[in-house]
């Protein structure tokens, strides 16, 4: 391939791993995955340096991107994304676009408009207004929100177990699972164990399989937590619809909702009740495909 051949670079910076893909015409030039360690989206200069270093490491010399699109984890506002974009263009001298990582889902699915819904460790939904302005709802972290994400499910499971304890009920499978997972002796000790977490989202979220296992074991509490999680995810789509976002298509991604059929079914059932015209679909390709599509649009 000649140096003058235009090629597009798409980057999906996730909370755990980063995926870079470079394409020219219809062929992949580079497909590179690495850790997201060091990603600092709230510092535009540091974020741009990190991305520039990633590109330098991943792309063989003398190749340089002709256009670049980045979907960044925790890039939460247009102002924040614009700051990273400006710093990145200054360093690389190419057309660039920076969006939140959830915004990669709709183009990755081959759609021009719709909602991207992520339920992994946390939960968030994004869409664009008719004038192109981005809107994000949810994504407030496990302490305040993230209902339907892994950490939020564990938080709500603990609350359900505490309420049952206060009613004088014997611990069920959900209580037993949480006690074991958090390595405490009894239900009242769960509070201190949750509060001791240094990284709340990660440390709470890794115990979410307990909730689904308890539901399979017949726990009404766990089943209610999952059902409410599904309703909360559907409520994110409703919020976008009320703000004028097209919600005909809802592209769903995230390690929790796609790995746990009970949660996905709870979400789709709730969505059918509140927005019968919405069409949910799980994302079947890597989100980086959306970044590549956005980069190609800049060529």
């Amino acid at each position: 391939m000649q140096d003058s051949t235009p090629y597009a670079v798409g980057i999906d910076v996730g909370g755990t791993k980063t995926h870079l893909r470079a394409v020219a015409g219809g062929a992949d030039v580079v497909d590179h995955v690495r850790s997201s360690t060091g990603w600092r989206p709230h510092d535009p200069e540091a974020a741009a340096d990190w991305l520039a270093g990633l590109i330098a490491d991943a792309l063989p010399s003398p190749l340089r991107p002709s256009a670049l699109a980045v979907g960044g984890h925790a890039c939460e506002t247009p102002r924040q994304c614009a700051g990273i974009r400006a710093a990145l263009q200054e360093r690389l001298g190419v057309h660039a676009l920076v969006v939140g990582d959830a915004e990669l889902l709709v183009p990755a699915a081959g759609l021009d408009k719709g909602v991207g819904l992520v339920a992994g460790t946390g939960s968030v939904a994004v869409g664009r207004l008719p004038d192109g302005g981005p809107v994000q709802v949810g994504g407030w972290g496990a302490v305040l929100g993230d209902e339907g994400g892994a950490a939020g499910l564990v938080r709500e499971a603990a609350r359900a177990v505490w309420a049952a304890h206060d009613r004088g009920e014997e611990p069920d499978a959900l209580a037993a699972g949480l006690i074991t997972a958090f390595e405490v002796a009894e239900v009242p000790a769960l509070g201190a164990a949750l509060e001791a977490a240094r990284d709340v989202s990660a440390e709470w979220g890794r115990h979410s399989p307990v909730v689904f296992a308890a539901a399979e074991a017949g726990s009404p509490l766990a089943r209610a937590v999952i059902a409410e999680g599904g309703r909360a995810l559907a409520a994110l789509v409703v919020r976008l619809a009320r703000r004028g976002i097209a919600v005909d298509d809802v592209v769903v991604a995230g390690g929790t909702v796609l790995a746990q059929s009970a949660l996905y079914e709870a979400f789709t059932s709730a969505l059918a009740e509140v927005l019968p015209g919405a069409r949910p679909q799980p994302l079947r390709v890597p989100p980086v495909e959306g970044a590549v599509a956005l980069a190609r649009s800049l060529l």
Side-chain angles (χ1 to χ4, degrees), residues 83-281:
I84 298 173
R85 174 180 175 270
L88 192 58
Q89 289 190 150
E90 181 181 346
R91 284 156 177 75
L92 299 179
V94 300
H95 292 299
L97 176 66
V98 178
V99 298
D101 57 346
E103 286 202 56
L104 302 182
L105 305 188
V106 169
L111 301 171
D112 294 326
K113 60 183 179 179
V115 170
L117 173 72
V118 179
T121 300
S123 61
V124 67
V126 299
R128 287 192 172 264
L129 296 166
D131 65 4
V135 178
Q136 173 177 308
V137 296
W140 293 104
V143 174
L144 298 177
D146 279 351
E147 293 87 351
L153 289 168
V154 171
R155 181 194 64 230
E156 296 307 308
R159 294 182 65 181
V161 165
W162 290 331
H165 179 271
D166 287 348
R167 292 192 297 267
E169 299 174 9
E170 289 296 318
D172 74 346
L174 181 59
L178 291 176
I179 286 171
T180 298
F182 283 95
E183 299 180 342
V184 296
E186 55 186 347
V187 167
L190 285 170
L194 267 70
E195 290 178 350
R198 293 186 177 181
D199 183 342
V200 169
S201 291
E203 293 180 39
W204 291 4
R206 67 188 176 90
H207 297 306
S208 64
V210 167
V211 181
F212 297 100
E216 291 181 3
S219 167
L221 294 179
R223 290 175 177 173
V225 167
I226 294 168
E228 181 56 35
R231 287 191 290 270
L233 294 176
L236 294 178
V237 184
V238 171
R239 289 180 207 169
L240 290 175
R242 288 175 177 170
R243 295 182 63 176
I245 305 295
V247 299
D248 296 335
D249 292 290
V250 181
V251 184
V252 184
T256 301
V257 70
L258 295 188
Q260 301 290 352
S261 59
L263 179 60
Y264 187 80
E265 290 168 7
F267 161 66
T268 55
S269 176
L271 188 66
E273 291 183 9
V274 294
L275 289 172
R279 298 182 293 267
Q281 59 174 290

Side-chain angles (χ1 to χ4, degrees), residues 1 6-10 21-30 292 296 299:
M1 186 176 68
Y7 68 101
V9 174
R21 183 169 291 173
V23 300
D28 288 355
V29 178
V30 174
V292 170
R296 279 177 164 155
L299 290 174

